[in-house]
Amino acid sequence: MSTATVSTLKGARLPKWSPYAIAGGSVGLAIAIGLGAGLDSRVQWGLIAAILFVVGTYGIAARVEGKRQAKDRIATSLVWVAFLLAVIPLVSLVWVTVVRGVKVLDFYFLTHSMGVVADTEPGGGIYHAIIGSLEQVGLATLIAAPVGVLTAIYLVEYGRGKLSKAITFFVDVMTGIPSIVAGLFILSLMLQFDMQPFGFAGSLALAILMMPVVVRSTEEMLKLVPNELREASLALGVPKWRTILKVVLPTSIGGITTGIMLSVARIAGETAPVLLLVFGNPFINTNPFEGAQSSLPLYIYQQYANSAGSGAAYDRAWAASLTLIAFVMILNLVARGIARWKAPKTGR
């Protein structure tokens, strides 16, 4: 087949740099339209640019490459636009938090509590809130992770009949309950026994929120384990419990660990149950089973709510927010490290 015939079959194609050129032209035209129409919001400019990019891509591709290829390009353009719409607010949030949080985030801030410092005064730190968050989230994880993993094992490996369906139904219901409801449930128990606010009460509410997430993520990971591995183990005469312990769990441990860490990140920022049950404490309390405690999300809320326009309180709230984001990020990095370390070796 000659070169001319191959060129005819391929048809005309837009150059590789054309999406960037269309995107640049769309941004420039959107800015011009925004300025001409008196639109002050850059969000509106971005939406106009996204619409122009999609429409422009389809129009140019249809003219040069044909309508069939244009439909493919417009689908790709919509994917990129959706990706940017999701990423830009996230990047903006992290950027603003970093810029405002580094103002007071230093060693002193991380190693001191509020103590006798008023919310409207400069100084103080988040040491007491860090201790409270670590203890409350840690205790909640110790409660929820084993229960959630064992429940998922039952549903996947043993669950049959009405009991399995009932557990699945209630797990689905628990996944969507508001955090305030979990807090009110534990609060009702505390009122029944005439108990004062303490850190472990917050851990119980957080464990309720964490359990269904662990169950769902672990269940999906266990379902991904090939049945051939189970059948090969059982064919060798290995008991089912040992097959689960030595074959199924090691194969899926990476996904299970990631799911647990994601559930920890989900509860680490909860404020409502902690506000109801832990109550907050400006002083250091290392005993989660006695007396009120603080936590990072509760500290952020209290600094903002009780600031009375104080710039020092706002700075502390932003610095605590940055610390909380770093805490969640570290948890995710640790989860990835554990998942990679515990993943089954496939090489010889």
Side-chain angles (χ1 to χ4, degrees):
M1 187 179 291
S2 64
T3 305
T5 305
V6 173
S7 178
T8 303
L9 290 175
K10 286 184 176 180
R13 298 280 295 176
L14 289 173
K16 293 183 178 181
W17 49 263
S18 60
Y20 304 102
I22 297 172
S26 300
V27 171
L29 186 57
I31 293 175
I33 293 174
L35 293 175
L39 302 177
D40 297 329
S41 175
R42 294 183 180 180
V43 176
Q44 294 174 322
W45 295 4
L47 293 176
I48 294 173
I51 295 173
L52 291 175
F53 175 70
V54 173
V55 174
T57 299
Y58 179 79
I60 295 174
R63 185 176 181 84
V64 176
E65 300 177 334
K67 290 186 177 181
R68 182 175 181 180
Q69 187 64 26
K71 292 179 181 178
D72 177 72
R73 286 192 176 272
I74 197 172
T76 305
S77 302
L78 289 173
V79 170
W80 276 105
V81 169
F83 170 75
L84 291 176
L85 289 177
V87 168
I88 289 176
L90 177 61
V91 173
S92 176
L93 174 63
V94 174
W95 174 255
V96 172
T97 306
V98 171
V99 170
R100 297 193 178 187
V102 295
K103 292 182 180 179
V104 296
L105 184 60
D106 52 20
F107 183 76
Y108 177 88
F109 182 74
L110 295 174
T111 56
H112 287 74
S113 67
M114 290 303 292
V116 294
V117 179
D119 289 335
T120 56
E121 297 177 355
I126 57 171
Y127 181 67
H128 62 301
I130 293 176
I131 291 178
S133 283
L134 291 177
E135 291 182 348
Q136 293 160 29
V137 173
L139 289 172
T141 304
L142 289 177
I143 297 171
V147 174
V149 171
L150 291 174
T151 302
I153 291 174
Y154 170 77
L155 291 175
V156 175
E157 304 294 337
Y158 298 98
R160 299 291 185 274
K162 294 182 179 180
L163 179 59
S164 175
K165 293 180 180 179
I167 294 175
T168 302
F169 172 76
F170 283 111
V171 168
D172 292 337
V173 172
M174 289 178 63
T175 303
I177 65 171
S179 59
I180 191 68
V181 175
L184 288 173
F185 172 70
I186 301 299
L187 180 62
S188 64
L189 297 179
M190 291 174 60
L191 294 176
Q192 288 288 333
F193 295 99
D194 195 23
M195 302 173 70
Q196 298 298 318
F198 62 111
F200 185 65
S203 299
L204 293 176
L206 295 178
I208 293 174
L209 299 173
M210 184 177 176
M211 258 183 252
V213 182
V214 176
V215 173
R216 272 286 162 258
S217 60
T218 304
E219 189 178 0
E220 293 303 320
M221 290 301 105
L222 294 177
K223 288 179 179 178
L224 293 177
V225 178
N227 285 327
E228 289 78 3
L229 295 177
R230 297 181 177 89
E231 293 169 357
S233 177
L234 294 173
L236 295 174
V238 180
K240 188 167 186 177
W241 68 268
R242 194 171 182 84
T243 299
I244 296 171
L245 188 63
K246 295 295 185 180
V247 177
V248 177
L249 288 179
T251 305
S252 58
I253 189 64
I256 293 174
T257 305
T258 302
I260 292 175
M261 290 298 106
L262 289 176
S263 62
V264 171
R266 178 210 181 306
I267 66 172
E270 290 292 345
T271 307
V274 179
L275 179 62
L276 284 174
L277 306 170
V278 182
F279 206 66
N281 188 353
F283 296 94
I284 299 172
N285 179 15
T286 58
N287 185 2
F289 300 98
E290 183 179 357
Q293 270 191 325
S294 185
S295 70
L296 284 172
L298 180 58
Y299 177 89
I300 296 167
Y301 168 76
Q302 289 177 334
Q303 288 298 304
Y304 179 81
N306 303 327
S307 62
S310 171
Y314 284 142
D315 291 340
R316 286 193 295 263
W318 281 109
S321 301
L322 180 58
T323 305
L324 184 59
I325 291 175
F327 174 68
V328 174
M329 186 179 298
I330 291 172
L331 283 178
N332 280 275
L333 292 176
V334 170
R336 289 176 179 273
I338 294 175
R340 183 169 297 182
W341 174 43
K342 290 294 186 179
K345 306 298 186 293
T346 57
R348 291 183 178 270

